[in-house]
Amino acid sequence: MSKAVSRAAWVMIGLAFIASGLHMFEFAGVSTDAIYLTATVQVFVFSVLGVWVNKPDRRVWSALLLLIVVLIFAQIFDQRDANTVFAQATSEFLFFAVQLVLVTGLFITVQRRFGKDPVNVVFDSLIIGLGSWFLIWVTFLNPAREISPDVVSVTALRGATLASSAIVIFLLATLLFGETERTPAVWLASSAIAFSLIGDLFYATNQSGRLEISNEIANAPYIASLFLVSATVLHPSVATLASHSIRRIRQPLLGRLILTTTALVVPVVVLALTNPTNETDRVVRAVSIFVLAAAVTSRVIFAVRSNAALQTRLIDSAQTDALTNLPNRGLMLEHVAASIENSRFGGYSPTVLFIDVDRFKNINDSLGHSAGDDVLVSVAQRLRVALPERCIVGRISGDEFVVLDAKSKNQSDAVLLADMVLESFHEPLALRQGDVFVSASIGVAVFEPEITTSADDLLRHADTAMYRAKDAGRNCVAIFDKSMLERVNQRLAVETALYRALERRELRLVHQPIIDIDLGDVIGFEALMRWDMEDGTNVSPAEFIPIAEETGIIVPIGAWALLEALTHLRGWINQGICRRDATMSVNVSPRQLHDPNFVAVVNEALMRSRMPADQLWLEVTEGVMITQPEQALDTLRRLSEVGVRVAIDDFGTGYSSLSFLQRFPIHRLKIDRTFINELASDNNARSLVKTIIAMANSLGLDVVAEGVETVEQLHALGDLHCSKAQGYLISHPVSPETMASTVAGLDKIGKWPRLRPLK
Ligand code: C2E
Ligand code: MG
Ligand code: MG
């Protein structure tokens, strides 16, 4: 059905030419009235059919219907050549009404298709209309008035009709030049209007008395126009006539500009070349040109204003963070720079607070990113409310906020501000998902000309201080001082040196024996890394292991340690230094477990050292079970399938939930030395250790006590039936070369309980 209707649209175009041709040349004696009647009837019938099948926008079809009705009325009551003024005026009014409906309908269509710029469209059409009006006055209306000085009302209506034709022309141009695609319906509608305008022109020519055009010819364009209206409504693309869904990439602003400029220039040229013929002409010309100039001025003002507004919007959006509407990094830097500049005269010390939301990644991971966004928005709000107005709050990335106080006088002002921020987080944030508590780590940097040279510096110093606050356990404030800069530089130096440590053979392993207290035997060793830098300094693993982990260097270093440790154990067994079933414990960091090659690395180390898998223990901390547990779980499962065993290191200091203990393939708990430390003196520590041992036993896990330093501690462990221990009491970590004498010394001691001090 719709296909047939769309074909009918093209047939209509043919009919438009045939019918208007027949009308023009009065072929085969066909009555012109009959053709006119046919055209009028068909436009009504096909419009209804087209609207029913293609279902265009309600506004399009109501405007169309109104247009057709007014048009039919105008044709029926066409009294433009009548003798009475009233009949003439009524007739002119009806034609004017046709134009008005057309202008309104077109304007709505154009505005909807054009979208953003209706004010400019109005002004441009006004300029074109006024320009055209001027020409119409000079060429048609004034001469016509002189030939048969009509009554003013008729002249005015005629003029308005003709002037609005000019607006129709412009709107038509905008429709064609607008930013949306020119569909067949747009072309057909434009042609229909264009033909009707040609008809108007013929009539105007007739009335000006310059040229006599026969009625047959003057009406022919109207007939073509009526058929083209049917074609428009029948074409399926009429459905999108008033929508701006299909966009064109290139906007034809040039065509619009040319049209507007022409409408401006031509009247001026005509004004310069011709003289007014009478007083009315002079007044009309003067007023028309004045209004035209006013329209052009307004148009220019609007354009300049909207450009300025657009520019402001663009700058704003480039300098503010879309989520929180706070200034972004670039703008904050500008503010900081300005405040430093001003401080030279004002006696202030601009202060920057660098605020990082603690454990924001956890919030994002556990509650989802939209909750994360909500947290950031609420934090931004909190900061703005909590801080005095003079402070500027910005968000410079992810969960990092910056506060600038340009007017602070000294450090205590700055600390006061930081406290306000910490305090503002005491109440939970009310999110859609429920209440969430957050805390923040804050770094404070106060501008000091000696150490801060730029805004960037001040921000970086606050950032450095913030990291110090994080290291100090989060939810606190750290104030920047020079020594931090040294630390940062030192850390940078360590990082760089660590990259080369492996190939420069600066890393080595030491081993700490693990004994069975009851048997008095060395049953295994723990490998611990040592780094002797080329300048002779020894960096403690507590310092370099976290850096290695952060930078990812732990992956190659850890692989080296595994092979090295197992090779040492193989050597000692072969040399008879230790039992054949002695084990090697190697510390493994989370980063290594997330490395997809880790299982292969372990297998290769076992193969190359010719050690059975069940003589290797991997020591992991509880943290492994918290961040990305799935991947770690998968790695550990695959390793435990081949016989490698897993120990939880520093047990009791992390956050592991007991359910993790069940899910993970774990075979040993190593009780952290902080508990062992207080074992002999503190009853609470004692019952805690007792509980851990009982739990391990019931889960079928092995237990090792770490950091045993005194005989009393060893005793207490014996009482609690914990048989495996390591610590300085037994042996410090020693180099592989001295392991033979260390183990021999331990073997000599024999059973440890015999050391029980005599009462
Ligand atoms: P950890 O695995 O818990 O190692 C035990 C730490 O306690 C060692 O410190 C050891 O020297 C020390 N220690 C042993 N007995 C006693 C004692 O009786 N009293 C006291 N106060 N301390 C004792 P170290 O060697 O400085 O290592 C620190 C941490 O660095 C290790 O803790 C481990 O987490 C990490 N680490 C060491 N080597 C490696 C490695 O090769 N790879 C990885 N990923 N981490 C390592
Ligand atoms: Mg360990
Ligand atoms: Mg430990």
Side-chain angles (χ1 to χ4, degrees):
M1 176 71 170
S2 66
K3 211 169 195 179
V5 174
S6 102
R7 264 195 213 131
W10 301 113
V11 174
M12 282 300 152
I13 300 174
L15 285 181
F17 288 103
I18 294 170
S20 56
L22 282 178
H23 191 278
M24 239 190 287
F25 305 111
E26 298 175 82
F27 269 130
V30 186
S31 133
T32 49
D33 282 348
I35 293 175
Y36 219 112
L37 190 69
T38 318
T40 313
V41 172
Q42 69 76 30
V43 78
F44 195 79
V45 173
F46 288 119
S47 293
V48 172
L49 181 68
V51 167
W52 182 59
V53 177
N54 292 324
K55 305 194 170 41
D57 192 278
R58 189 166 46 85
R59 296 172 203 228
V60 171
W61 68 254
S62 11
L64 186 77
L65 210 66
L66 194 62
L67 187 71
I68 291 170
V69 170
V70 182
L71 200 64
I72 290 172
F73 266 94
Q75 300 297 348
I76 292 172
F77 296 106
D78 186 356
Q79 303 278 319
R80 283 181 287 190
D81 300 324
N83 292 331
T84 64
V85 172
F86 179 75
Q88 274 185 11
T90 318
S91 186
E92 286 297 346
F93 179 77
L94 279 172
F95 278 96
F96 180 55
V98 171
Q99 293 292 65
L100 276 189
V101 175
L102 198 59
V103 165
T104 321
L106 261 179
F107 182 69
I108 292 171
T109 312
V110 163
Q111 192 196 2
R112 284 183 55 107
R113 286 179 72 88
F114 204 68
K116 297 173 301 205
D117 218 10
V119 178
N120 289 338
V121 171
V122 173
F123 271 101
D124 280 353
S125 59
L126 204 63
I127 292 167
I128 303 265
L130 288 165
S132 311
W133 152 257
F134 185 84
L135 294 180
I136 286 163
W137 169 262
V138 175
T139 26
F140 299 120
L141 292 178
N142 190 40
R145 221 177 45 88
E146 281 183 336
I147 291 173
S148 56
D150 275 322
V151 186
V152 181
S153 62
V154 176
T155 316
L157 278 169
R158 205 171 281 161
T161 310
L162 281 168
S164 58
S165 309
I167 300 178
V168 172
I169 293 174
F170 172 68
L171 287 174
L172 209 57
T174 322
L175 190 68
L176 293 174
F177 295 155
E179 66 179 21
T180 35
E181 206 56 62
R182 284 173 286 190
T183 56
V186 172
W187 278 119
L188 290 170
S190 309
S191 324
I193 296 166
F195 272 102
S196 119
L197 285 172
I198 294 172
D200 291 347
L201 189 74
F202 286 169
Y203 259 95
T205 313
N206 261 346
Q207 273 159 352
S208 72
R210 300 195 158 188
L211 208 72
E212 190 66 39
I213 298 174
S214 73
N215 258 3
E216 285 69 37
I217 292 177
N219 276 336
Y222 288 128
I223 289 171
S225 170
L226 289 173
F227 279 99
L228 288 171
V229 167
S230 303
T232 310
V233 194
L234 288 175
H235 198 274
S237 61
V238 76
T240 58
L241 191 62
S243 70
H244 51 260
S245 48
I246 327 152
R247 276 177 149 241
R248 274 201 290 178
I249 310 296
R250 250 189 63 238
Q251 290 178 30
L253 279 174
L254 186 66
R256 190 170 151 192
L257 197 68
I258 291 173
L259 218 67
T260 320
T261 325
T262 312
L264 191 67
V265 171
V266 175
V268 174
V269 172
V270 171
L271 200 67
L273 294 181
T274 63
N275 290 321
T277 53
N278 54 50
E279 201 47 40
T280 321
D281 191 18
R282 186 191 306 280
V283 173
V284 171
R285 281 173 180 233
V287 172
S288 305
I289 288 297
F290 179 76
V291 178
L292 183 62
V296 171
T297 314
S298 315
R299 171 69 173 90
V300 171
I301 291 173
F302 267 111
V304 169
R305 269 216 208 143
S306 74
N307 248 346
L310 182 72
Q311 213 166 354
T312 320
R313 265 208 314 280
L314 279 179
I315 291 174
D316 276 359
S317 72
Q319 294 200 317
T320 50
D321 156 46
L323 181 67
T324 57
N325 272 334
L326 293 178
N328 63 12
R329 187 188 171 83
L331 186 55
M332 274 324 274
L333 274 172
E334 277 180 30
H335 283 307
V336 175
S339 72
I340 290 178
E341 196 59 37
N342 292 339
S343 71
R344 293 190 207 288
F345 320 106
Y348 298 114
S349 313
T351 297
V352 168
L353 265 57
F354 203 104
I355 303 166
D356 187 285
V357 181
D358 293 334
R359 299 199 174 84
F360 181 70
K361 196 178 167 310
N362 284 4
I363 296 175
N364 246 348
D365 289 349
S366 54
L367 296 178
H369 285 258
S370 80
D373 282 355
D374 290 352
V375 166
L376 295 175
V377 172
S378 314
V379 167
Q381 225 163 5
R382 278 282 158 94
L383 291 175
R384 261 186 305 208
V385 173
L387 293 165
E389 264 196 23
R390 59 169 199 277
C391 295
I392 302 174
V393 182
R395 174 175 169 235
I396 61 166
S397 74
D399 60 340
E400 294 174 335
F401 293 84
V402 159
V403 174
L404 166 69
D405 180 5
K407 298 273 164 74
S408 76
K409 293 214 170 52
N410 46 40
Q411 210 167 8
S412 47
D413 278 2
V415 174
L416 216 66
L417 276 185
D419 283 341
M420 284 181 193
V421 174
L422 283 186
E423 208 162 295
S424 73
F425 292 125
H426 284 177
E427 293 290 310
L429 305 176
L431 304 188
R432 278 171 295 176
Q433 293 84 349
D435 285 1
V436 172
F437 273 102
V438 298
S439 64
S441 303
I442 306 176
V444 179
V446 181
F447 175 70
E448 286 174 61
E450 306 82 53
I451 50 169
T452 324
T453 53
S454 65
D456 212 30
D457 265 0
L458 191 57
L459 222 61
R460 213 180 39 246
H461 290 170
D463 188 11
T464 306
M466 186 278 290
Y467 271 103
R468 178 58 71 82
K470 280 241 185 282
D471 286 345
R474 301 185 162 94
N475 194 19
C476 61
V477 182
I479 295 163
F480 178 81
D481 66 55
K482 247 188 181 158
S483 70
M484 285 185 194
L485 218 53
E486 281 150 24
R487 253 189 75 90
V488 169
N489 290 339
Q490 190 193 336
R491 194 193 143 109
L492 207 68
V494 168
E495 236 174 69
T496 328
L498 195 54
Y499 270 106
R500 292 188 211 112
L502 194 59
E503 58 191 62
R504 289 190 182 170
R505 298 175 176 276
E506 291 173 4
L507 296 175
R508 62 188 172 91
L509 291 183
V510 292
H511 300 271
Q512 186 173 42
I514 301 171
I515 57 154
D516 186 305
I517 310 171
D518 298 336
L519 301 175
D521 269 2
V522 174
I523 53 156
F525 310 88
E526 175 173 2
L528 295 160
M529 212 180 288
R530 294 292 174 262
W531 180 18
D532 312 315
M533 284 175 86
E534 59 179 352
D535 59 2
T537 37
N538 288 306
V539 191
S540 118
E543 187 175 343
F544 76 81
I545 294 288
I547 298 177
E549 235 172 274
E550 250 173 62
T551 50
I553 313 174
I554 193 70
V555 174
I557 289 179
W560 165 82
L562 258 164
L563 179 61
E564 183 84 351
L566 287 172
T567 310
H568 288 160
L569 181 62
R570 165 55 54 209
W572 299 331
I573 291 175
N574 287 353
Q575 293 164 35
I577 291 174
C578 62
R579 290 162 49 147
R580 298 203 68 78
D581 62 355
T583 60
M584 179 57 74
S585 301
V586 180
N587 292 288
V588 170
S589 71
R591 183 77 174 243
Q592 288 171 275
L593 293 183
H594 296 150
D595 174 32
N597 286 328
F598 187 66
V599 177
V601 165
V602 174
N603 283 328
E604 196 189 320
L606 287 169
M607 204 182 67
R608 284 177 61 181
S609 60
R610 287 170 289 110
M611 287 303 302
D614 63 0
Q615 277 174 268
L616 172 65
W617 283 95
L618 297 180
E619 294 194 2
V620 298
T621 50
E622 290 160 284
V624 159
M625 300 187 272
I626 295 167
T627 47
Q628 288 183 299
E630 297 311 322
Q631 208 176 346
L633 180 61
D634 181 56
T635 306
L636 292 179
R637 276 217 183 113
R638 281 161 60 199
L639 285 169
S640 101
E641 269 161 24
V642 299
V644 176
R645 285 174 295 173
V646 179
I648 297 288
D649 206 351
D650 307 340
F651 184 77
T653 56
Y655 305 89
S656 59
S657 82
L658 296 180
S659 74
F660 275 129
L661 285 183
Q662 229 177 3
R663 276 179 66 202
F664 274 71
I666 289 162
H667 311 92
R668 170 184 281 179
L669 299 184
K670 293 187 76 174
I671 307 173
D672 191 67
R673 68 163 177 269
T674 47
F675 303 112
I676 305 300
N677 230 335
E678 290 162 7
L679 193 57
S681 55
D682 181 1
N683 273 341
N684 281 344
R686 202 184 153 82
S687 41
L688 229 133
V689 172
K690 195 173 167 183
T691 313
I692 294 176
I693 293 170
M695 183 183 72
N697 284 340
S698 72
L699 286 172
L701 303 178
D702 191 42
V703 184
V704 173
E706 283 189 295
V708 181
E709 291 181 353
T710 64
V711 178
E712 284 77 16
Q713 289 165 3
L714 195 70
H715 256 270
L717 285 171
D719 290 348
L720 295 172
H721 305 289
C722 171
S723 59
K724 292 180 184 121
Q726 67 182 101
Y728 293 167
L729 174 71
I730 299 146
S731 165
H732 276 260
V734 298
S735 64
E737 298 78 38
T738 49
M739 191 50 86
S741 56
T742 306
V743 176
L746 287 171
D747 280 346
K748 238 190 251 163
I749 294 171
K751 289 195 178 185
W752 285 84
R754 268 188 271 140
L755 273 181
R756 185 183 284 265
L758 296 170
K759 288 204 176 131

